[in-house]
């Protein structure tokens, strides 16, 4: 998934170039193998008796990162250009993932589906679209997406715009259900004080999405891909923290320091877009490196606390780094 996302950035750095057949085939295969292995890892952990909070963090953290690759596949398919509608269509999936972790944090239950529609169905729908784009090719797909269509409530627009609006409504509907369900649980538990306590955890994501819609149009044209990636990496960081503090039974930190440089870049984009783009690239590199360091620290602390190894099954853990007999 990481490789296919990188390839999509190379093929279409500003979300404007139709994807070639080979890229759509690669994305379809990557999504299929990811979805299959993601359904198997929990069963394997329970079968071998190696399930742990670290495994949960690793599993759900990878799922959150996969949201970036999955929305990257959809962006490559739609090649919507440097538009706010396209950016929000990408970021809403990561925001929805945060809400799912937020619900688990407060209720102990992780929602993966509402009724007959869930994560698996959405993934198969995306795979069908990327496979269809691979079959039709980059000459046919743009002409289909540009077809005008009149729809009730949505008015007259091309098929691409209607698809993104419907996607926003689809995910927004399930996000609303998640929020209402969590607030009802909080009110039943401790009343209005608990509702306010639960709502405050949403402030970082709400602020992030407000900031996303505040970039200057010129900055959007210059660095839409970089803005999208930094936004979704920040949402990944928020979700990873929610998973971690849910396991540790610790308060989720509402104040998120990385929103400060994000807001500063946004402001600089209105004044000096070219300079802001260079600063954005440096910030992406710095945040990416810091995020890897943070994840490594979390992994090491959990490993020592739980006395387990990260990528192997052992009978005994030694704090000095050596290991006992291993099951193969």
């Amino acid at each position: 998934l990481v490789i296919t996302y990188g390839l999509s950035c190379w093929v279409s750095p500003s979300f404007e170039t139709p994807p070639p057949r080979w890229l759509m085939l690669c994305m379809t295969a990557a999504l299929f193998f990811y979805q299959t292995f993601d359904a198997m890892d929990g069963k394997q952990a329970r079968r071998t008796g190696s399930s742990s909070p670290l495994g949960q963090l690793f599993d759900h953290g990878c799922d959150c990162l996969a949201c970036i690759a999955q929305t990257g596949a959809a962006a490559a398919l739609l090649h919507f250009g440097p538009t706010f509608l396209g950016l929000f269509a990408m970021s809403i999936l990561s925001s929805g993932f945060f809400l799912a972790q937020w619900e688990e944090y407060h209720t102990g239950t992780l929602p993966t589906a509402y009724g007959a529609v869930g994560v698996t169905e959405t993934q198969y729908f995306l795979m069908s679209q990327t496979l269809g784009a691979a079959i039709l090719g980059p000459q046919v797909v743009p002409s289909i997406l540009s077809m005008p269509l009149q729809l009730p409530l949505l008015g007259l627009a091309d098929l691409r715009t209607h698809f993104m609006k419907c996607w926003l409504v689809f995910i927004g509907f399930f996000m609303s259900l998640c929020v209402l369900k969590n607030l009802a649980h909080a009110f039943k538990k401790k009343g209005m004080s608990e509702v306010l306590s639960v709502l405050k955890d949403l402030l970082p994501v709400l602020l992030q999405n407000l900031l996303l819609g505040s970039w200057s149009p010129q900055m959007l044209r210059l660095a839409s891909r970089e803005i999208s990636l930094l936004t979704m990496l920040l949402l990944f960081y928020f979700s990873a923290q929610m998973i971690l503090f849910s396991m540790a039974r610790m308060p989720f930190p509402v104040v998120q320091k990385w929103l400060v440089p994000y807001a500063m870049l946004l402001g600089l984009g209105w004044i000096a877009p070219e300079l802001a783009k260079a600063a954005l690239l440096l910030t992406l590199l710095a945040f990416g490196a810091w995020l890897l360091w943070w994840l490594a620290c979390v992994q090491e602390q959990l490993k020592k606390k739980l006395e387990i190894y990260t990528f192997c099954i052992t009978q005994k853990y030694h704090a000095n780094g050596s290991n006992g007999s291993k099951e193969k």
Side-chain angles (χ1 to χ4, degrees):
L1 287 175
V2 173
I3 293 172
T4 56
Y5 181 83
L7 289 171
S8 69
C9 293
W10 174 65
V11 168
S12 181
S14 57
F15 304 112
E16 293 179 298
T17 306
R21 281 191 169 95
W22 63 265
L23 180 57
M24 288 290 95
L25 283 174
C26 289
M27 286 182 170
T28 304
L31 287 169
F32 174 77
F33 283 113
Y34 157 73
Q35 193 277 333
T36 302
F37 290 136
D38 185 47
M40 293 168 57
D41 57 359
K43 294 180 180 179
Q44 171 69 3
R46 288 185 288 274
R47 185 183 71 83
T48 58
S50 57
S51 57
S52 70
L54 179 58
Q56 180 186 359
L57 177 63
F58 188 84
D59 180 19
H60 293 178
C62 287
D63 291 340
C64 189
L65 275 178
C67 287
I68 301 177
Q70 291 175 53
T71 52
L77 169 65
L78 295 173
H79 50 282
F80 46 70
T83 63
F84 282 112
L85 181 62
L87 290 184
F88 277 111
M90 292 183 71
S91 69
I92 194 171
L93 187 61
S94 295
S95 299
F97 189 92
F98 175 87
L99 284 184
Q101 304 304 322
W102 171 68
E103 181 173 337
E104 184 182 28
Y105 178 85
H106 289 287
T107 67
T109 303
L110 178 66
T112 58
Y114 286 96
V117 181
V119 176
T120 302
E121 290 74 22
T122 305
Q123 289 171 340
Y124 276 118
F125 173 76
L126 178 57
M127 281 185 270
S128 69
Q129 300 306 299
T130 54
L131 181 60
I135 295 171
L136 294 175
Q139 287 77 33
V140 178
V141 171
S143 61
I144 294 176
L145 293 175
S146 300
M147 290 173 55
L149 183 65
Q150 179 82 34
L151 289 179
L153 301 178
L154 297 179
L156 178 64
D158 58 38
L159 186 60
R160 177 189 292 106
T161 301
H162 282 316
F163 186 91
M164 289 190 289
K165 288 180 178 178
C166 290
W167 171 252
L168 287 169
V169 171
F170 173 74
I171 299 296
F173 173 73
F174 289 112
M175 289 172 67
S176 299
L177 289 180
C178 179
V179 171
L180 291 173
K181 181 180 176 182
N182 212 3
L183 294 183
H185 179 271
F187 186 79
K188 184 178 179 181
K189 185 178 179 182
K190 290 186 180 178
M192 188 55 65
S193 61
E194 183 68 12
V195 170
L196 295 175
S197 176
V198 167
L199 279 175
K200 76 176 185 346
D201 293 338
L202 298 180
L203 289 177
V205 172
L206 289 174
L207 180 57
Q208 174 70 78
N209 281 280
L210 286 173
L211 291 173
L212 177 60
S214 303
W215 287 92
S216 70
Q218 188 174 357
M219 191 65 187
L220 196 65
R221 288 191 296 271
L222 285 173
S224 56
R225 176 72 71 172
E226 292 84 351
I227 291 171
S228 167
L229 182 56
L230 181 58
T231 299
M232 290 192 291
L233 283 177
L234 280 168
L235 290 170
F236 161 76
Y237 176 52
F238 299 159
S239 297
Q241 289 179 89
M242 185 61 77
I243 298 167
L244 178 64
F245 293 121
S246 175
M247 295 186 303
R249 301 291 188 269
M250 294 172 62
F252 175 75
V254 177
V255 178
Q256 296 289 338
K257 59 185 179 182
W258 278 100
L259 285 174
V260 175
Y262 188 95
M264 292 173 65
L265 287 168
L266 189 155
L268 183 61
W270 284 93
I271 302 169
E274 294 289 347
L275 179 61
K277 180 178 180 179
L280 178 58
L281 288 172
L282 291 174
T283 304
L284 257 176
L285 292 173
F287 180 62
W290 181 87
L291 191 57
L292 288 174
W293 172 81
W294 181 80
L295 290 169
C297 290
V298 169
Q299 177 263 345
E300 190 64 25
Q301 290 180 43
L302 283 174
K303 187 179 76 170
K304 290 181 178 179
K305 178 68 175 178
L306 300 172
E307 297 188 346
I308 59 174
Y309 288 94
T310 308
F311 295 113
C312 62
I313 304 170
T314 63
Q315 292 182 343
K316 190 175 181 181
Y317 172 90
H318 298 287
N320 62 8
S322 61
N323 59 303
S325 59
K326 300 178 182 178
E327 297 176 6
K328 297 184 179 179

